Amino acid sequence: MASYRIRQYREKDYDAVRTLFARGILEHAPAGYRHILRSARAQLGLLVLFAAVRAAAGYWVLGLAAVALALAATWPVVRSFSTSYVQQALSTDLCDISTSYLRAPDSCFWVAEAGGTVVGMVAVAPPQDPAERGVALELKRMSVSKDYRGRGVSKALCGEVLRFARARGYGAVVLSTSMVQVAAQRLYEGQGFRKVGTFSPSLLGSLLCFQIFHYRCDLPGGTAAPPR
């Protein structure tokens, strides 16, 4: 029997939900940093930097120092992707969760609770993409506490979103997740989602090879446009 329960968000969950979301996003920053450093573009850039400094100064030690400085400077830039995303979410929909998800049409917000503590969360709302509105709903703000991963919490939360969309006659659920959230990608693919697009969040993200994956799950029996 599950050691947690899924229920709708309540106002008393406000601080716990915001903290859980922030921690869940920020913990992926180191993985993003490693991913970027493993990219061919980054490695080529570091090699060119080393060679240029060594040729100009005549000392390989200075070339290594330049590479070390570049690596140190890259970390706060990479982390800024996560921090800016968290700040944007906390100042918009997660600033007033009830208004954003409980009072808005075709929207909802659930938490997973264990022992009186919020250990997971997920939301659903009409998509940002105008082309998807009236056709699909968007799964958003999925996060599960580290201590409760691998216990089926994410799968249960995802199931709530799929059932919610299906019950309202929608034909699909869409979502976006970053390239470094590998466990999340496996979860979504296991629930029937398929990758349908890839984009970079900014020009800087494109230069650093940081990508966002767009997923879609078509719902059996759904209609192109839900009844109103």
Side-chain angles (χ1 to χ4, degrees), residues 89-127:
L90 295 182
S91 63
T92 54
D93 58 298
L94 295 184
C95 181
D96 189 345
I97 299 169
S98 293
T99 297
S100 299
Y101 294 106
L102 301 186
R103 301 189 189 107
D106 293 331
S107 303
C108 198
F109 199 106
W110 298 270
V111 299
E113 184 183 55
T117 301
V118 172
V119 298
M121 56 183 275
V122 73
V124 65

mmCIF file of all heavy atoms in Angstrom, residues 89-127:
data_model
loop_
_atom_site.group_PDB
_atom_site.id
_atom_site.type_symbol
_atom_site.label_atom_id
_atom_site.label_comp_id
_atom_site.label_asym_id
_atom_site.label_seq_id
_atom_site.Cartn_x
_atom_site.Cartn_y
_atom_site.Cartn_z
ATOM 1 N N ALA A 89 8.906 31.448 -12.014
ATOM 2 C CA ALA A 89 7.759 30.647 -11.572
ATOM 3 C C ALA A 89 7.210 31.144 -10.233
ATOM 4 O O ALA A 89 5.992 31.264 -10.049
ATOM 5 C CB ALA A 89 8.167 29.179 -11.459
ATOM 6 N N LEU A 90 8.093 31.449 -9.296
ATOM 7 C CA LEU A 90 7.657 31.888 -7.968
ATOM 8 C C LEU A 90 6.983 33.256 -7.996
ATOM 9 O O LEU A 90 6.190 33.577 -7.103
ATOM 10 C CB LEU A 90 8.848 31.921 -7.012
ATOM 11 C CG LEU A 90 9.508 30.576 -6.685
ATOM 12 C CD1 LEU A 90 10.645 30.768 -5.686
ATOM 13 C CD2 LEU A 90 8.493 29.575 -6.138
ATOM 14 N N SER A 91 7.293 34.046 -9.006
ATOM 15 C CA SER A 91 6.698 35.384 -9.090
ATOM 16 C C SER A 91 5.458 35.423 -9.986
ATOM 17 O O SER A 91 4.804 36.462 -10.087
ATOM 18 C CB SER A 91 7.732 36.392 -9.609
ATOM 19 O OG SER A 91 8.131 36.068 -10.926
ATOM 20 N N THR A 92 5.139 34.297 -10.631
ATOM 21 C CA THR A 92 3.954 34.265 -11.507
ATOM 22 C C THR A 92 2.931 33.267 -10.970
ATOM 23 O O THR A 92 2.249 33.547 -9.996
ATOM 24 C CB THR A 92 4.364 33.939 -12.956
ATOM 25 O OG1 THR A 92 5.142 32.728 -12.987
ATOM 26 C CG2 THR A 92 5.186 35.083 -13.547
ATOM 27 N N ASP A 93 2.814 32.093 -11.574
ATOM 28 C CA ASP A 93 1.754 31.157 -11.174
ATOM 29 C C ASP A 93 1.917 30.613 -9.767
ATOM 30 O O ASP A 93 0.931 30.367 -9.068
ATOM 31 C CB ASP A 93 1.638 30.001 -12.179
ATOM 32 C CG ASP A 93 2.926 29.223 -12.344
ATOM 33 O OD1 ASP A 93 3.926 29.825 -12.776
ATOM 34 O OD2 ASP A 93 2.939 28.010 -12.057
ATOM 35 N N LEU A 94 3.156 30.420 -9.303
ATOM 36 C CA LEU A 94 3.366 29.898 -7.957
ATOM 37 C C LEU A 94 3.324 30.990 -6.891
ATOM 38 O O LEU A 94 3.508 30.708 -5.713
ATOM 39 C CB LEU A 94 4.687 29.125 -7.870
ATOM 40 C CG LEU A 94 4.754 27.843 -8.714
ATOM 41 C CD1 LEU A 94 6.069 27.113 -8.464
ATOM 42 C CD2 LEU A 94 3.575 26.922 -8.425
ATOM 43 N N CYS A 95 3.074 32.215 -7.311
ATOM 44 C CA CYS A 95 2.881 33.304 -6.352
ATOM 45 C C CYS A 95 1.471 33.251 -5.773
ATOM 46 O O CYS A 95 1.261 33.523 -4.594
ATOM 47 C CB CYS A 95 3.135 34.644 -7.032
ATOM 48 S SG CYS A 95 2.950 36.063 -5.948
ATOM 49 N N ASP A 96 0.512 32.897 -6.608
ATOM 50 C CA ASP A 96 -0.882 32.746 -6.179
ATOM 51 C C ASP A 96 -1.411 31.454 -6.791
ATOM 52 O O ASP A 96 -2.048 31.462 -7.845
ATOM 53 C CB ASP A 96 -1.723 33.947 -6.617
ATOM 54 C CG ASP A 96 -3.121 33.938 -6.002
ATOM 55 O OD1 ASP A 96 -3.532 32.877 -5.486
ATOM 56 O OD2 ASP A 96 -3.789 34.986 -6.044
ATOM 57 N N ILE A 97 -1.123 30.343 -6.138
ATOM 58 C CA ILE A 97 -1.422 29.023 -6.685
ATOM 59 C C ILE A 97 -2.921 28.792 -6.825
ATOM 60 O O ILE A 97 -3.385 28.248 -7.837
ATOM 61 C CB ILE A 97 -0.771 27.941 -5.812
ATOM 62 C CG1 ILE A 97 0.755 28.129 -5.816
ATOM 63 C CG2 ILE A 97 -1.136 26.534 -6.304
ATOM 64 C CD1 ILE A 97 1.487 27.284 -4.785
ATOM 65 N N SER A 98 -3.684 29.196 -5.844
ATOM 66 C CA SER A 98 -5.127 28.982 -5.893
ATOM 67 C C SER A 98 -5.769 29.694 -7.081
ATOM 68 O O SER A 98 -6.606 29.127 -7.791
ATOM 69 C CB SER A 98 -5.779 29.445 -4.592
ATOM 70 O OG SER A 98 -5.376 28.626 -3.515
ATOM 71 N N THR A 99 -5.386 30.943 -7.302
ATOM 72 C CA THR A 99 -5.937 31.690 -8.440
ATOM 73 C C THR A 99 -5.469 31.101 -9.759
ATOM 74 O O THR A 99 -6.244 30.981 -10.718
ATOM 75 C CB THR A 99 -5.524 33.169 -8.353
ATOM 76 O OG1 THR A 99 -6.083 33.741 -7.175
ATOM 77 C CG2 THR A 99 -6.006 33.940 -9.570
ATOM 78 N N SER A 100 -4.201 30.705 -9.819
ATOM 79 C CA SER A 100 -3.625 30.197 -11.067
ATOM 80 C C SER A 100 -4.187 28.848 -11.473
ATOM 81 O O SER A 100 -4.376 28.580 -12.667
ATOM 82 C CB SER A 100 -2.098 30.092 -10.934
ATOM 83 O OG SER A 100 -1.517 31.348 -10.687
ATOM 84 N N TYR A 101 -4.469 27.987 -10.473
ATOM 85 C CA TYR A 101 -4.804 26.604 -10.806
ATOM 86 C C TYR A 101 -6.142 26.084 -10.266
ATOM 87 O O TYR A 101 -6.698 25.149 -10.835
ATOM 88 C CB TYR A 101 -3.690 25.680 -10.328
ATOM 89 C CG TYR A 101 -2.385 25.900 -11.050
ATOM 90 C CD1 TYR A 101 -1.314 26.538 -10.423
ATOM 91 C CD2 TYR A 101 -2.233 25.484 -12.362
ATOM 92 C CE1 TYR A 101 -0.115 26.752 -11.097
ATOM 93 C CE2 TYR A 101 -1.040 25.697 -13.041
ATOM 94 C CZ TYR A 101 0.012 26.327 -12.403
ATOM 95 O OH TYR A 101 1.189 26.542 -13.074
ATOM 96 N N LEU A 102 -6.644 26.640 -9.184
ATOM 97 C CA LEU A 102 -7.882 26.113 -8.619
ATOM 98 C C LEU A 102 -9.109 26.913 -9.034
ATOM 99 O O LEU A 102 -10.223 26.376 -9.041
ATOM 100 C CB LEU A 102 -7.785 26.058 -7.085
ATOM 101 C CG LEU A 102 -6.643 25.197 -6.534
ATOM 102 C CD1 LEU A 102 -6.744 25.112 -5.014
ATOM 103 C CD2 LEU A 102 -6.642 23.797 -7.148
ATOM 104 N N ARG A 103 -8.913 28.177 -9.364
ATOM 105 C CA ARG A 103 -10.039 29.008 -9.783
ATOM 106 C C ARG A 103 -10.077 29.205 -11.297
ATOM 107 O O ARG A 103 -11.072 29.669 -11.834
ATOM 108 C CB ARG A 103 -9.989 30.373 -9.086
ATOM 109 C CG ARG A 103 -10.018 30.274 -7.567
ATOM 110 C CD ARG A 103 -10.183 31.621 -6.898
ATOM 111 N NE ARG A 103 -9.995 31.509 -5.459
ATOM 112 C CZ ARG A 103 -8.929 31.948 -4.799
ATOM 113 N NH1 ARG A 103 -7.959 32.564 -5.461
ATOM 114 N NH2 ARG A 103 -8.823 31.789 -3.495
ATOM 115 N N ALA A 104 -9.006 28.857 -11.973
ATOM 116 C CA ALA A 104 -8.947 29.013 -13.428
ATOM 117 C C ALA A 104 -9.582 27.803 -14.111
ATOM 118 O O ALA A 104 -9.511 26.681 -13.599
ATOM 119 C CB ALA A 104 -7.489 29.159 -13.877
ATOM 120 N N PRO A 105 -10.218 27.995 -15.263
ATOM 121 C CA PRO A 105 -10.846 26.867 -15.965
ATOM 122 C C PRO A 105 -9.822 25.859 -16.486
ATOM 123 O O PRO A 105 -8.718 26.234 -16.879
ATOM 124 C CB PRO A 105 -11.593 27.549 -17.114
ATOM 125 C CG PRO A 105 -10.879 28.852 -17.320
ATOM 126 C CD PRO A 105 -10.421 29.268 -15.963
ATOM 127 N N ASP A 106 -10.211 24.593 -16.490
ATOM 128 C CA ASP A 106 -9.376 23.503 -17.018
ATOM 129 C C ASP A 106 -7.986 23.488 -16.381
ATOM 130 O O ASP A 106 -6.983 23.213 -17.059
ATOM 131 C CB ASP A 106 -9.271 23.608 -18.543
ATOM 132 C CG ASP A 106 -10.607 23.349 -19.222
ATOM 133 O OD1 ASP A 106 -11.419 22.591 -18.664
ATOM 134 O OD2 ASP A 106 -10.833 23.902 -20.306
ATOM 135 N N SER A 107 -7.927 23.786 -15.102
ATOM 136 C CA SER A 107 -6.663 23.806 -14.379
ATOM 137 C C SER A 107 -6.836 23.126 -13.027
ATOM 138 O O SER A 107 -7.939 23.083 -12.480
ATOM 139 C CB SER A 107 -6.186 25.248 -14.164
ATOM 140 O OG SER A 107 -6.051 25.941 -15.382
ATOM 141 N N CYS A 108 -5.741 22.616 -12.488
ATOM 142 C CA CYS A 108 -5.779 22.021 -11.150
ATOM 143 C C CYS A 108 -4.353 21.886 -10.624
ATOM 144 O O CYS A 108 -3.377 22.014 -11.378
ATOM 145 C CB CYS A 108 -6.457 20.644 -11.182
ATOM 146 S SG CYS A 108 -6.997 20.067 -9.537
ATOM 147 N N PHE A 109 -4.241 21.646 -9.329
ATOM 148 C CA PHE A 109 -2.932 21.504 -8.681
ATOM 149 C C PHE A 109 -3.071 20.441 -7.597
ATOM 150 O O PHE A 109 -3.970 20.513 -6.765
ATOM 151 C CB PHE A 109 -2.505 22.832 -8.055
ATOM 152 C CG PHE A 109 -1.036 22.937 -7.763
ATOM 153 C CD1 PHE A 109 -0.205 23.723 -8.542
ATOM 154 C CD2 PHE A 109 -0.466 22.240 -6.698
ATOM 155 C CE1 PHE A 109 1.151 23.839 -8.270
ATOM 156 C CE2 PHE A 109 0.884 22.340 -6.417
ATOM 157 C CZ PHE A 109 1.693 23.135 -7.210
ATOM 158 N N TRP A 110 -2.199 19.430 -7.642
ATOM 159 C CA TRP A 110 -2.223 18.355 -6.656
ATOM 160 C C TRP A 110 -0.903 18.280 -5.898
ATOM 161 O O TRP A 110 0.138 18.694 -6.408
ATOM 162 C CB TRP A 110 -2.429 17.000 -7.333
ATOM 163 C CG TRP A 110 -3.704 16.825 -8.080
ATOM 164 C CD1 TRP A 110 -4.898 16.353 -7.607
ATOM 165 C CD2 TRP A 110 -3.929 17.104 -9.466
ATOM 166 N NE1 TRP A 110 -5.844 16.317 -8.597
ATOM 167 C CE2 TRP A 110 -5.274 16.775 -9.758
ATOM 168 C CE3 TRP A 110 -3.124 17.594 -10.498
ATOM 169 C CZ2 TRP A 110 -5.829 16.908 -11.022
ATOM 170 C CZ3 TRP A 110 -3.663 17.746 -11.768
ATOM 171 C CH2 TRP A 110 -5.005 17.410 -12.012
ATOM 172 N N VAL A 111 -0.971 17.768 -4.693
ATOM 173 C CA VAL A 111 0.240 17.465 -3.934
ATOM 174 C C VAL A 111 0.186 16.008 -3.502
ATOM 175 O O VAL A 111 -0.895 15.424 -3.365
ATOM 176 C CB VAL A 111 0.399 18.367 -2.688
ATOM 177 C CG1 VAL A 111 0.488 19.827 -3.092
ATOM 178 C CG2 VAL A 111 -0.731 18.132 -1.694
ATOM 179 N N ALA A 112 1.367 15.435 -3.309
ATOM 180 C CA ALA A 112 1.486 14.121 -2.683
ATOM 181 C C ALA A 112 1.881 14.368 -1.242
ATOM 182 O O ALA A 112 2.842 15.106 -0.976
ATOM 183 C CB ALA A 112 2.545 13.282 -3.400
ATOM 184 N N GLU A 113 1.142 13.774 -0.309
ATOM 185 C CA GLU A 113 1.374 14.002 1.113
ATOM 186 C C GLU A 113 1.741 12.695 1.799
ATOM 187 O O GLU A 113 1.128 11.659 1.553
ATOM 188 C CB GLU A 113 0.112 14.585 1.744
ATOM 189 C CG GLU A 113 0.265 14.947 3.223
ATOM 190 C CD GLU A 113 -1.047 15.459 3.802
ATOM 191 O OE1 GLU A 113 -2.072 14.747 3.698
ATOM 192 O OE2 GLU A 113 -1.048 16.565 4.344
ATOM 193 N N ALA A 114 2.757 12.749 2.638
ATOM 194 C CA ALA A 114 3.171 11.584 3.421
ATOM 195 C C ALA A 114 3.477 12.044 4.835
ATOM 196 O O ALA A 114 4.301 12.942 5.041
ATOM 197 C CB ALA A 114 4.411 10.919 2.802
ATOM 198 N N GLY A 115 2.807 11.469 5.804
ATOM 199 C CA GLY A 115 3.033 11.851 7.192
ATOM 200 C C GLY A 115 2.786 13.312 7.460
ATOM 201 O O GLY A 115 3.476 13.926 8.298
ATOM 202 N N GLY A 116 1.834 13.914 6.751
ATOM 203 C CA GLY A 116 1.525 15.325 6.955
ATOM 204 C C GLY A 116 2.469 16.274 6.243
ATOM 205 O O GLY A 116 2.348 17.495 6.394
ATOM 206 N N THR A 117 3.400 15.746 5.444
ATOM 207 C CA THR A 117 4.377 16.567 4.734
ATOM 208 C C THR A 117 4.167 16.468 3.233
ATOM 209 O O THR A 117 3.912 15.381 2.708
ATOM 210 C CB THR A 117 5.813 16.116 5.076
ATOM 211 O OG1 THR A 117 6.020 16.230 6.489
ATOM 212 C CG2 THR A 117 6.841 16.967 4.346
ATOM 213 N N VAL A 118 4.273 17.578 2.542
ATOM 214 C CA VAL A 118 4.174 17.583 1.085
ATOM 215 C C VAL A 118 5.473 17.028 0.498
ATOM 216 O O VAL A 118 6.550 17.576 0.737
ATOM 217 C CB VAL A 118 3.920 19.008 0.549
ATOM 218 C CG1 VAL A 118 4.009 19.037 -0.973
ATOM 219 C CG2 VAL A 118 2.553 19.509 1.001
ATOM 220 N N VAL A 119 5.358 15.931 -0.251
ATOM 221 C CA VAL A 119 6.548 15.284 -0.818
ATOM 222 C C VAL A 119 6.529 15.274 -2.342
ATOM 223 O O VAL A 119 7.474 14.790 -2.977
ATOM 224 C CB VAL A 119 6.691 13.848 -0.284
ATOM 225 C CG1 VAL A 119 6.870 13.850 1.229
ATOM 226 C CG2 VAL A 119 5.494 12.980 -0.686
ATOM 227 N N GLY A 120 5.458 15.795 -2.936
ATOM 228 C CA GLY A 120 5.379 15.843 -4.384
ATOM 229 C C GLY A 120 4.330 16.837 -4.829
ATOM 230 O O GLY A 120 3.460 17.237 -4.042
ATOM 231 N N MET A 121 4.398 17.247 -6.083
ATOM 232 C CA MET A 121 3.459 18.239 -6.595
ATOM 233 C C MET A 121 3.380 18.149 -8.110
ATOM 234 O O MET A 121 4.336 17.717 -8.779
ATOM 235 C CB MET A 121 3.910 19.655 -6.205
ATOM 236 C CG MET A 121 5.321 19.988 -6.666
ATOM 237 S SD MET A 121 5.904 21.611 -6.160
ATOM 238 C CE MET A 121 5.215 22.624 -7.472
ATOM 239 N N VAL A 122 2.242 18.565 -8.652
ATOM 240 C CA VAL A 122 2.091 18.672 -10.100
ATOM 241 C C VAL A 122 0.892 19.571 -10.380
ATOM 242 O O VAL A 122 -0.035 19.664 -9.563
ATOM 243 C CB VAL A 122 1.899 17.292 -10.766
ATOM 244 C CG1 VAL A 122 0.497 16.726 -10.491
ATOM 245 C CG2 VAL A 122 2.148 17.355 -12.261
ATOM 246 N N ALA A 123 0.919 20.230 -11.524
ATOM 247 C CA ALA A 123 -0.179 21.105 -11.924
ATOM 248 C C ALA A 123 -0.571 20.815 -13.362
ATOM 249 O O ALA A 123 0.196 20.201 -14.124
ATOM 250 C CB ALA A 123 0.229 22.572 -11.775
ATOM 251 N N VAL A 124 -1.749 21.269 -13.740
ATOM 252 C CA VAL A 124 -2.205 21.178 -15.124
ATOM 253 C C VAL A 124 -2.945 22.461 -15.459
ATOM 254 O O VAL A 124 -3.625 23.049 -14.608
ATOM 255 C CB VAL A 124 -3.118 19.943 -15.338
ATOM 256 C CG1 VAL A 124 -4.419 20.071 -14.549
ATOM 257 C CG2 VAL A 124 -3.414 19.727 -16.811
ATOM 258 N N ALA A 125 -2.774 22.914 -16.700
ATOM 259 C CA ALA A 125 -3.397 24.161 -17.132
ATOM 260 C C ALA A 125 -3.427 24.193 -18.656
ATOM 261 O O ALA A 125 -2.726 23.412 -19.315
ATOM 262 C CB ALA A 125 -2.612 25.359 -16.602
ATOM 263 N N PRO A 126 -4.202 25.083 -19.244
ATOM 264 C CA PRO A 126 -4.143 25.248 -20.697
ATOM 265 C C PRO A 126 -2.729 25.620 -21.127
ATOM 266 O O PRO A 126 -2.037 26.359 -20.424
ATOM 267 C CB PRO A 126 -5.128 26.398 -20.959
ATOM 268 C CG PRO A 126 -6.098 26.310 -19.827
ATOM 269 C CD PRO A 126 -5.269 25.913 -18.643
ATOM 270 N N PRO A 127 -2.271 25.123 -22.267
ATOM 271 C CA PRO A 127 -0.882 25.366 -22.698
ATOM 272 C C PRO A 127 -0.597 26.822 -23.042
ATOM 273 O O PRO A 127 -1.499 27.589 -23.389
ATOM 274 C CB PRO A 127 -0.737 24.481 -23.948
ATOM 275 C CG PRO A 127 -1.936 23.607 -23.979
ATOM 276 C CD PRO A 127 -3.002 24.288 -23.201
#
